[in-house]
Amino acid sequence: MAKANKTIFVCQSCGATSPRWQGKCPSCSEWNTLTEESDAAGPPGTGLMRRGASSGRVITLEGLRGSTQEAPRFSTGLAELDRVTGGGIVPGSALLIGGEPGIGKSTLLLQLTASLARAGKRTVYFSGEEAAAQVRLRAVRLGLDDAPVALACETSLAHILATLEAGPPPDLIVVDSIQTLWAEAIEAAPGTVSQVRASAQALIRHAKTAGSALLLVGHVTKDGQIAGPKVIEHMVDTVLYFEGDRGHAYRILRAVKNRFGATDEIGVFEMASYGLREISNPSELFLGDRDASSPGAAVFAGVEGTRPILVEIQALVAPSSLGTPRRAVVGWDTARLSMLLAVLEARAGLSFAGKDVYLNVAGGLRINEPAADLAAAAALVSSLSGVPIPRDRVHFGEVSLSGAINATPLMGPRLKEAQKLGFREALVPAQGELDAAGLKLRTMRLSHLRELADEAPSCD
Ligand code: TYD
Ligand code: MG
C-alpha cells in the first residue's frame, strides 16, 4: 500500500530531514532551522518520478574517448567576468552567483545580458524580486535600455519553463533569484530548501537539454553562505561569489567552484553611478592614499590567480588602556596576526605587550596569501617604531614560526608589477629564484624577521 502523504522537517541550512520538529538540527547543529514540508515532493525529484515510475530502459554505455569536442565558450563582453569564468560562458552550463543584498548582483547581470544581447545573443532575464518598471528604470540609468534583452517578472517555475519551451532556446537565461521561485508541485514556501532544490533542478535540466547557459542568483545568509541550499552548489557547474565592503565602491567576483576552469582568478569592479565599471588594473585601486608618509603602511606585492595585485597593509600599534589589549584585523586572518606578533616578540625581540594592535587591508580586499606576512610584519614594526617605510618599497615573503622568511611562488611577476607601478625597491625572501632579469628594482633579500626589525626602517 502506498504511504499517505507524510510531513517531514527539513533543515533550511543543511537540507537534512527529520521525522519530527527539533529546535536544533541534529546534522549541522544550527538552531531553529527545521521547517515542516510535505514528503510528497521528497528529496531530489523523487516526488515527480514516483508517479510515472515504470521499468527502466537499458542505457548505452560509452568509453571516455568520444567524439565530444571541447565546449565552445562565448565571451560575456565583460573581460573581468570572462577571466573569472575561465574564458567565457559554456553553453548548457549552469552558474550560480551569490552575494549579499545590495552588493550589485542584479546590476552585474543586467549589464551582462545587455552586453550579450547587443552582441547578437538571445538573452532572457527573469526577475522574481523586482517589478519590470524597476528593472527598466535601472536599465535606463545604466544606458542599457536599447539592448534587446527579453525581460519577464515571474516567480512561477511552471510559467518560466513553459515560456522557455515555447520559443527558440536563448543563449543565456538569468533567474534573479532562485530563492523567489515557486514550484507548484512542492508544498513549501518559496525560498525553502525543497523549493529551491526543485526549481534549480528543473531549470538546470531544461538548460542542459536546450543548450542554454543558465545563471542563477542566490542569496547569502548572514554568515556568507549561499542561503540554505549548499545543495545547489553541488548541482551547478560554476559557483561565483560577488563580494565587497558596502562602504567601499570595489566589488570582487570570485569563483569558488568551476568545472570549466580554475578557481583562483578574481574579477574586480567598481560600483559607479552608471553601474559596474571593470577595473583591469586593480593595483592602483588597493594602494590607498599613498601621499602621506605616516608610519605603519607597507605595500604587499600579492598575486590573485595569475594576476599580480599590489595592496597596502596598514597597521596601528597604540598604547592600550585595557587589561587585555585589543587585536583587530580587517581583510586578514586574526590567527595569522596573533602568530606574527608572537614571532616578532619571540624571534625579533620586539614587545607588543600593553599595546593595542590593529591591522587593515586597504580598499576592502581580503588577503589569503601567506606571502603577505612580511608586509604585515613590516607595517607592524614601522608603527611600533614610528619610522615610516619608504613609499616606493614593496614586500612579500612568508614568515615561519622560527622567524625565517620563506620563498613564495611567482616572485618575478610580483616584482614586475611593482616596477610597472613606479616602485623602486623590494624586501624579498633570501631563498628562491627571483627571476628578475632586466628589472631595475633594487631588491633587499631577507632570511630572518630579525633583519627587518634591525635595519628595514632605516635603510633607504
Ligand atoms: P543591486 O544590483 O540591486 O544589488 P543586488 O541585486 O545584489 O541586491 O545593486 C544595489 C546597489 O548598487 C544599490 O544599493 C545601489 C547601487 N547602485 C549604484 O551605486 N550605481 C548603479 O548604477 C546601480 C544600478 C546601483
Ligand atoms: Mg537584486
Side-chain angles (χ1 to χ4, degrees):
M1 200 181 87
K3 259 197 257 170
N5 256 6
K6 217 175 55 174
T7 354
I8 51 165
F9 293 84
V10 182
C11 172
Q12 300 303 307
S13 174
C14 69
T17 56
S18 156
R20 59 197 165 79
W21 190 83
Q22 296 176 75
K24 184 179 176 184
C25 170
S27 166
C28 67
S29 305
E30 286 284 320
W31 287 92
N32 274 334
T33 54
L34 266 66
T35 53
E36 183 174 348
E37 291 179 11
S38 163
D39 196 19
T46 45
L48 306 170
M49 278 157 54
R50 214 177 278 155
R51 232 168 291 146
S54 57
S55 56
R57 83 184 154 77
V58 179
I59 308 163
T60 326
L61 303 173
E62 295 172 50
L64 288 177
R65 261 174 209 271
S67 55
T68 324
Q69 289 157 358
E70 158 115 61
R73 294 163 184 268
F74 58 86
S75 161
T76 61
L78 304 172
E80 294 296 296
L81 191 56
D82 282 351
R83 173 195 294 280
V84 177
T85 49
I89 294 181
V90 177
S93 69
L95 293 89
L96 175 67
I97 173 164
E100 282 174 31
I103 205 75
K105 301 182 293 297
S106 305
T107 310
L108 178 69
L109 295 186
L110 191 61
Q111 286 182 239
L112 166 67
T113 43
S115 145
L116 285 175
R118 279 181 176 158
K121 301 266 182 214
R122 271 177 52 84
T123 58
V124 187
Y125 190 114
F126 290 104
S127 173
E129 306 207 320
E130 289 161 301
Q134 279 173 292
V135 182
R136 279 203 206 106
L137 266 180
R138 179 184 290 138
V140 171
R141 195 143 58 85
L142 301 178
L144 300 174
D145 49 322
D146 61 322
V149 175
L151 170 73
C153 295
E154 185 54 65
T155 55
S156 158
L157 177 68
H159 295 350
I160 290 179
L161 286 174
T163 312
L164 288 173
E165 267 146 29
D171 295 293
L172 179 73
I173 307 163
V174 170
V175 176
D176 184 4
S177 66
I178 188 73
Q179 271 90 1
T180 55
L181 287 200
W182 173 71
E184 222 168 304
I186 296 190
E187 284 173 40
T192 51
V193 170
S194 36
Q195 280 284 2
V196 167
R197 189 161 49 194
S199 308
Q201 207 162 38
L203 285 169
I204 291 170
R205 198 183 311 128
H206 171 84
K208 296 249 185 262
T209 22
S212 309
L214 173 70
L215 225 164
L216 304 170
V217 173
H219 286 195
V220 297
T221 53
K222 40 187 188 315
D223 51 347
Q225 302 290 330
I226 290 183
K230 264 281 175 208
V231 274
I232 48 175
E233 294 202 12
H234 297 296
M235 289 156 58
V236 297
D237 302 301
T238 303
V239 180
L240 307 175
Y241 272 85
F242 203 32
E243 38 183 59
D245 184 359
R246 284 236 238 148
H248 288 101
Y250 321 126
R251 302 284 182 269
I252 291 172
L253 189 65
R254 206 183 276 281
V256 293
K257 163 181 172 179
N258 194 354
R259 286 188 186 144
F260 303 112
T263 53
D264 52 3
E265 293 286 358
I266 63 166
V268 186
F269 298 86
E270 181 182 2
M271 181 61 93
S273 56
Y274 49 87
L276 289 157
R277 188 169 75 87
E278 297 183 71
I279 307 283
S280 47
N281 188 357
S283 296
E284 284 166 8
L285 204 110
F286 296 116
L287 280 179
D289 180 11
R290 304 274 306 144
D291 283 341
S293 63
S294 54
V299 176
F300 166 50
V303 172
E304 285 282 351
T306 52
R307 176 160 63 168
I309 293 187
L310 267 54
V311 202
E312 186 178 80
I313 298 186
Q314 303 155 353
L316 176 65
V317 179
S320 179
S321 54
L322 304 166
T324 313
R326 281 187 63 111
R327 308 281 189 243
V329 186
V330 178
W332 210 46
D333 186 23
T334 320
R336 200 105 197 147
L337 173 66
S338 309
M339 187 200 90
L340 202 56
L341 289 173
V343 175
L344 281 168
E345 297 207 340
R347 312 288 185 201
L350 299 172
S351 171
F352 292 89
K355 302 252 172 43
D356 287 337
V357 177
Y358 302 92
L359 199 84
N360 177 41
V361 177
L365 189 72
R366 228 202 115 70
I367 300 183
N368 301 318
E369 262 194 295
D373 290 352
L374 186 60
L380 291 167
V381 171
S382 159
S383 180
L384 182 71
S385 64
V387 183
I389 295 171
R391 282 190 46 227
D392 53 3
R393 177 186 293 175
V394 296
H395 310 70
F396 57 85
E398 182 177 350
V399 173
S400 75
L401 286 182
S402 66
I405 296 169
N406 297 333
T408 60
L410 299 167
M411 301 211 270
R414 293 175 204 262
L415 292 173
K416 284 199 192 93
E417 174 80 357
Q419 173 160 312
K420 205 169 81 194
L421 288 167
F423 287 84
R424 298 242 193 82
E425 52 184 53
L427 284 194
V428 302
Q431 303 294 320
E433 193 55 50
L434 272 191
D435 185 22
L439 283 182
K440 286 197 228 55
L441 211 79
R442 195 159 80 87
T443 52
M444 288 167 282
R445 311 203 68 171
L446 304 188
S447 57
H448 197 277
L449 212 48
R450 209 180 309 116
E451 298 162 42
L452 179 74
D454 290 347
E455 54 192 296
S458 60
C459 95
D460 59 2

